[in-house]
Amino acid sequence: MLSTGFNVVGFNWMSSPAATELESIVMDWFGKMLKLPNSFLFSGNGGGVLQGTTCEAILCTLTASRDQMLNKIGRDNIGKLVVYGSDQSHCALQKAAQIAGINPKNFRAVATNKFTEFGLSPVALEAAIQTDLEAGLVPLFLCATVGTTSTTAVDPISPLCDVAKEYGIWVHVDAAYAGSACICPEFRHFIDGVEKADSFSLNAHKWFFTTLDCCCLWVKDPSALVKALSTNPEYLRNKATEARQVIDYKDWQIALSRRFRSLKLWMVIRSYGVANLRNYLRRHVKMAKQFEGLLVADNRFEVVVPRTFAMVCFRVAPSAMGITFNDETNANELNAKLLESMNVSGKVHMTHAVVGGVYMIRFAVGATLTEERHVSAAWKVVQEHTNTILNSYQ
Amino acid sequence: MLSTGFNVVGFNWMSSPAATELESIVMDWFGKMLKLPNSFLFSGNGGGVLQGTTCEAILCTLTASRDQMLNKIGRDNIGKLVVYGSDQSHCALQKAAQIAGINPKNFRAVATNKFTEFGLSPVALEAAIQTDLEAGLVPLFLCATVGTTSTTAVDPISPLCDVAKEYGIWVHVDAAYAGSACICPEFRHFIDGVEKADSFSLNAHKWFFTTLDCCCLWVKDPSALVKALSTNPEYLRNKATEARQVIDYKDWQIALSRRFRSLKLWMVIRSYGVANLRNYLRRHVKMAKQFEGLLVADNRFEVVVPRTFAMVCFRVAPSAMGITFNDETNANELNAKLLESMNVSGKVHMTHAVVGGVYMIRFAVGATLTEERHVSAAWKVVQEHTNTILNSYQ
């Protein structure tokens, strides 16, 4: 908490050299932990920056790609630019596109389905691009997600990048939730292909033990950000900037002023240590697996989508509801009731999603202090409330 | 520091009712302290929100006004929208316009001059608007500043609003620095006319004893923000939002996630108290006046623009430099040297601006612990370094 509260006013390097230097060092550390290609690190002419949230990270990279494209095709063509994601992309993408002046008609939430486990299909992406090209539009930006909000689905980065690169599209990889897990070798494969992307972000405040807000963004071409976001008024002129040997993070983000976010990330990395961080993440995944196992062993429940990280999407199956009630609408209704009754008990807090028409309950492990006994207790709550609700349906 | 570090993940009301409720209460308190018209308060169907920085506040209001206008004239006309400020507006305005997709050619930094004390002239604004209309462009947004960064100049809000309203332009008043002073009755007149504006912001982290970041934004029509910035994904659906009886601040800002910023502002207001806050601000102004008096009494110095708040813009006058050196270029050079030598001494830290071709040194009082003895000490530093530098010129 103190490292969060300890603030400086960092506009540019000059206004707080320590804050800038620590941030670039910590971002290179974290990038190496994730085995990001060198092209995303300062040592490889890329670099990392701490933003507040994913929405800001996307808005900055989208603005950079937009201006790069408009410089080629002319400012008057802003209305032709198209942004791609899937129907599982976080709403931050749509919001960023809205703010950046992309015509809302040119926002493509490409449909996913259960056959691709709600990941974005490269074939569907290419079809959408083709349709847009035929309509005279200009494909601009793709946001691929590793660990979607609703179900932690993973878009296949490598083939998506192959498609995107063919059409000159900027690819941003949003690994807000699941990116942290990729510091473990056994999970790293989820971001395979990231070397072909233009930018990559994850939220350390999500599953990396850091307080809100702390979104880590790496880009291959910082100059694209700087061209779109820099302003150099006289009152900020200084020798360090003019010597071009320092990073002025103000030109990598929306705001001019910035806080000393790297201190809290430094604190987390230094106090846990990499081995310990990996162990925590593994333990969370293991506990989610344990919960999943309990559900699978009880045939009243369905694990609706395969569990990939530390979140389990489940529901009471329609088949458990008795002959007169076993349709999807009734199942959705029952599961909504179940969630509400569990949350009202105050013993657990779970959330929901509706994907492919199916209402599912989301059980997530991710807090520092969660232990197996909490998972067992949660499972007990699920069973008790399910019993009560199923009895009322029989 | 603890109140800064104490965080919740507040997306919408539901995710942290306390954070939302406290924020709306504190913003109404602050609005009343500033004697903002009721139309900016929740009680008058307006309302306040805590943003990170002025750039974000401007970007949000600009996006709201942009979408409002484009809904009238069609999305294809985004390239015709024009944003107005003065050549003294903070660079945040230009950056926000860039991000929002306003054509950089349609950004007007209307020239100011010393005859209006570097305030934006309503006549000059209207002339710029007329030129744009004749060129088939669409005037959209005006940012008027109370307390500019370079010289704390004050744009005349009331007549500027009169001009803007005639052309249906959204007026945002950026009082980032000087707004705080307006809680003192004797300074309130600087924001007279704010009742005609659409939005108003100030930075509590600037001159209101609050840690970075804490930009207070009030708007008359929150629904304009919500229309431009809302997203309502399934996973955030909840009864409170659907009953439309709560504020979901996520729709008033760029990011979805938000921190508990109101806690630190509440802490400041509660711990100082209004009377004490006023006294601090008055004391700062008085100390700046005192420093100004010392400069005026020494005819080697010039106060370059009239002091309005707690910042003094001064320089060594060309006339003090001896016959062979007394031109403006030499004066600028000498004053740049003076500033550097004072800052290198480590005894003071001042900054500079160049306005109307004149390089000036900016002396600002604003920290909680500043006392008269610090001002006297600073004056001593100014004199010593000036003596040394003038001797080298003779």
Side-chain angles (χ1 to χ4, degrees):
Chain A
M1 280 174 77
L2 282 175
S3 68
T4 304
F6 184 72
N7 264 323
V8 295
V9 182
F11 312 123
N12 45 17
W13 183 88
M14 190 62 190
S15 67
S16 177
T20 300
E21 296 292 337
L22 187 65
E23 186 162 330
S24 56
I25 289 168
V26 166
M27 290 302 286
D28 262 13
W29 283 0
F30 201 178
K32 282 176 189 162
M33 284 161 67
L34 289 161
K35 298 219 181 310
L36 289 185
N38 210 37
S39 51
F40 279 112
L41 308 183
F42 285 103
S43 45
N45 292 321
V49 58
L50 291 173
Q51 306 266 339
T53 64
T54 305
C55 193
E56 292 164 52
I58 297 179
L59 180 53
C60 290
T61 50
L62 178 56
T63 304
S65 71
R66 184 199 68 193
D67 285 1
Q68 219 170 39
M69 183 63 86
L70 292 180
N71 284 339
K72 272 188 231 157
I73 64 171
R75 294 280 333 174
D76 294 342
N77 291 307
I78 186 170
K80 292 185 185 166
L81 302 178
V82 188
V83 169
Y84 301 87
S86 85
D87 57 7
Q88 299 302 308
S89 299
H90 192 271
C91 62
L93 176 63
Q94 191 181 353
K95 190 160 180 173
Q98 271 172 224
I99 295 172
I102 303 298
N103 190 329
K105 282 188 300 189
N106 296 346
F107 176 73
R108 305 278 170 264
V110 179
T112 60
N113 57 52
K114 60 182 172 184
F115 303 108
T116 58
E117 292 174 1
F118 302 103
L120 174 57
S121 140
V123 176
L125 172 68
E126 188 149 23
I129 293 172
Q130 282 296 347
T131 309
D132 287 327
L133 286 173
E134 280 158 27
L137 299 175
V138 179
L140 174 69
F141 188 90
L142 164 68
C143 179
T145 310
V146 175
T148 60
T149 308
S150 292
T151 65
T152 73
V154 177
D155 293 342
I157 301 181
S158 183
L160 287 172
C161 284
D162 291 339
V163 171
K165 290 298 109 179
E166 207 173 308
Y167 301 95
I169 294 174
W170 180 299
V171 181
H172 178 77
V173 176
D174 165 17
Y177 162 69
S180 308
C182 300
I183 66 165
C184 303
E186 68 271 34
F187 300 123
R188 173 57 175 75
H189 67 94
F190 289 113
I191 56 167
D192 279 358
V194 69
E195 65 279 3
K196 302 180 200 169
D198 298 281
S199 47
F200 173 80
S201 66
L202 66 81
N203 288 347
H205 62 251
K206 229 167 215 131
W207 194 16
F208 207 71
F209 317 100
T210 312
T211 57
L212 191 77
D213 45 2
C214 194
C215 171
C216 306
L217 168 68
W218 290 267
V219 292
K220 269 188 189 163
D221 180 12
S223 78
L225 285 181
V226 173
K227 275 178 205 151
L229 301 172
S230 73
T231 47
N232 284 305
E234 178 65 32
Y235 44 80
L236 292 180
R237 283 186 66 179
N238 66 86
K239 283 186 181 169
T241 297
E242 275 155 33
R244 293 173 173 275
Q245 285 172 342
V246 297
I247 304 160
D248 285 334
Y249 272 130
K250 72 177 176 61
D251 299 333
W252 296 47
Q253 64 172 22
I254 298 163
L256 175 69
S257 301
R258 58 201 323 274
R259 288 175 297 128
F260 195 176
R261 291 194 187 100
S262 56
L263 195 60
K264 58 186 182 184
L265 189 53
W266 176 84
M267 195 79 180
V268 165
I269 297 175
R270 293 287 290 172
S271 57
Y272 283 80
V274 181
N276 217 3
L277 285 165
R278 286 193 182 121
N279 285 340
Y280 265 98
L281 296 167
R282 281 171 183 144
R283 208 143 51 203
H284 290 164
V285 174
K286 198 180 142 206
M287 285 188 268
K289 238 183 201 163
Q290 175 196 344
F291 186 80
E292 186 191 24
L294 295 166
L295 288 165
V296 169
D298 184 332
N299 60 15
R300 296 173 303 169
F301 297 100
E302 246 179 56
V303 175
V304 187
V305 293
R307 182 207 49 76
T308 314
F309 302 101
M311 186 171 86
V312 184
C313 296
F314 71 100
R315 65 166 178 167
V316 174
S319 59
M321 295 172 63
I323 281 164
T324 40
F325 295 104
N326 68 354
D327 71 11
E328 287 295 333
T329 312
N330 282 332
N332 287 355
E333 220 171 73
L334 178 142
N335 280 288
K337 272 190 199 160
L338 172 59
L339 175 66
E340 198 187 344
S341 105
M342 290 193 297
N343 284 347
V344 164
S345 79
K347 290 180 183 162
V348 294
H349 187 83
M350 301 188 200
T351 52
H352 80 285
V354 177
V355 176
V358 174
Y359 185 103
M360 54 188 86
I361 299 173
R362 296 146 84 229
F363 173 85
V365 183
T368 321
L369 302 176
T370 304
E371 294 173 17
E372 291 193 8
R373 63 189 174 93
H374 299 113
V375 175
S376 306
W379 172 238
K380 224 171 142 187
V381 173
V382 171
Q383 283 183 302
E384 279 168 16
H385 288 260
T386 301
N387 288 341
T388 310
I389 285 203
L390 279 181
N391 283 338
S392 75
Y393 268 76
Q394 300 302 337
Chain B
M1 279 174 77
L2 283 176
S3 68
T4 304
F6 183 72
N7 263 323
V8 294
V9 182
F11 312 122
N12 44 17
W13 183 88
M14 190 63 191
S15 67
S16 177
T20 299
E21 296 292 337
L22 188 66
E23 186 161 330
S24 56
I25 289 168
V26 165
M27 290 303 285
D28 262 13
W29 282 0
F30 201 179
K32 281 175 190 163
M33 284 161 66
L34 289 160
K35 298 219 181 309
L36 290 185
N38 209 36
S39 51
F40 280 112
L41 308 183
F42 285 102
S43 46
N45 293 319
V49 58
L50 291 173
Q51 306 265 340
T53 64
T54 304
C55 193
E56 292 164 53
I58 296 179
L59 180 53
C60 290
T61 51
L62 179 55
T63 303
S65 72
R66 184 199 66 193
D67 285 1
Q68 221 170 38
M69 184 62 87
L70 292 180
N71 285 340
K72 272 188 232 159
I73 64 170
R75 292 282 331 177
D76 295 342
N77 291 307
I78 186 170
K80 291 185 185 164
L81 302 177
V82 188
V83 169
Y84 301 87
S86 85
D87 58 7
Q88 299 303 307
S89 299
H90 192 272
C91 62
L93 176 63
Q94 191 182 352
K95 190 160 179 175
Q98 272 173 224
I99 295 172
I102 302 299
N103 191 327
K105 282 189 299 188
N106 296 348
F107 176 74
R108 306 278 170 266
V110 179
T112 61
N113 58 52
K114 61 182 171 183
F115 303 108
T116 58
E117 291 174 2
F118 301 103
L120 173 58
S121 141
V123 177
L125 172 67
E126 186 148 25
I129 293 172
Q130 282 296 346
T131 309
D132 287 327
L133 286 173
E134 280 157 27
L137 299 176
V138 179
L140 174 69
F141 188 90
L142 165 68
C143 179
T145 310
V146 175
T148 60
T149 308
S150 292
T151 66
T152 73
V154 176
D155 293 343
I157 301 181
S158 183
L160 287 172
C161 284
D162 291 339
V163 171
K165 291 296 110 178
E166 208 172 309
Y167 300 95
I169 295 174
W170 180 298
V171 181
H172 178 77
V173 176
D174 166 17
Y177 162 68
S180 308
C182 300
I183 67 165
C184 304
E186 68 270 34
F187 300 124
R188 173 58 175 76
H189 67 92
F190 288 113
I191 56 167
D192 279 359
V194 69
E195 65 279 3
K196 303 181 199 169
D198 298 282
S199 48
F200 174 79
S201 66
L202 66 80
N203 289 346
H205 62 249
K206 231 171 211 127
W207 195 17
F208 207 71
F209 316 102
T210 312
T211 57
L212 191 76
D213 46 4
C214 195
C215 172
C216 306
L217 168 68
W218 290 268
V219 292
K220 270 188 190 165
D221 180 11
S223 77
L225 285 181
V226 173
K227 275 177 205 153
L229 302 172
S230 73
T231 47
N232 284 305
E234 178 65 33
Y235 45 81
L236 292 181
R237 283 186 65 179
N238 66 85
K239 283 185 182 169
T241 296
E242 275 156 33
R244 292 172 174 275
Q245 284 173 343
V246 297
I247 304 160
D248 285 334
Y249 272 130
K250 72 179 176 59
D251 300 333
W252 296 47
Q253 63 172 22
I254 298 164
L256 175 69
S257 300
R258 58 202 322 273
R259 287 176 298 125
F260 195 176
R261 290 195 188 100
S262 57
L263 194 61
K264 59 186 183 185
L265 189 53
W266 176 85
M267 194 79 180
V268 165
I269 296 175
R270 292 287 291 172
S271 58
Y272 283 80
V274 181
N276 217 2
L277 284 166
R278 286 194 184 121
N279 285 341
Y280 265 99
L281 296 167
R282 281 172 183 143
R283 209 143 50 205
H284 291 162
V285 174
K286 198 180 141 203
M287 285 189 268
K289 238 182 201 166
Q290 175 195 345
F291 186 80
E292 186 191 25
L294 295 165
L295 289 164
V296 168
D298 184 332
N299 60 17
R300 295 174 304 169
F301 296 100
E302 245 179 56
V303 176
V304 187
V305 293
R307 181 206 49 76
T308 314
F309 301 103
M311 187 171 85
V312 185
C313 297
F314 71 99
R315 65 167 180 168
V316 174
S319 59
M321 296 172 63
I323 282 164
T324 39
F325 296 104
N326 68 354
D327 71 13
E328 287 294 332
T329 314
N330 283 332
N332 287 354
E333 217 171 75
L334 178 143
N335 281 287
K337 271 190 199 161
L338 172 59
L339 176 64
E340 197 186 345
S341 106
M342 290 193 296
N343 283 347
V344 164
S345 79
K347 291 181 182 161
V348 293
H349 187 83
M350 300 187 202
T351 52
H352 80 286
V354 177
V355 177
V358 173
Y359 185 103
M360 53 189 86
I361 299 172
R362 295 146 85 229
F363 173 84
V365 182
T368 321
L369 302 175
T370 305
E371 294 173 16
E372 292 194 8
R373 64 191 172 91
H374 299 113
V375 176
S376 306
W379 172 238
K380 223 171 141 187
V381 173
V382 172
Q383 283 183 303
E384 279 167 17
H385 288 259
T386 302
N387 288 341
T388 310
I389 285 202
L390 279 180
N391 283 338
S392 74
Y393 268 76
Q394 298 302 336

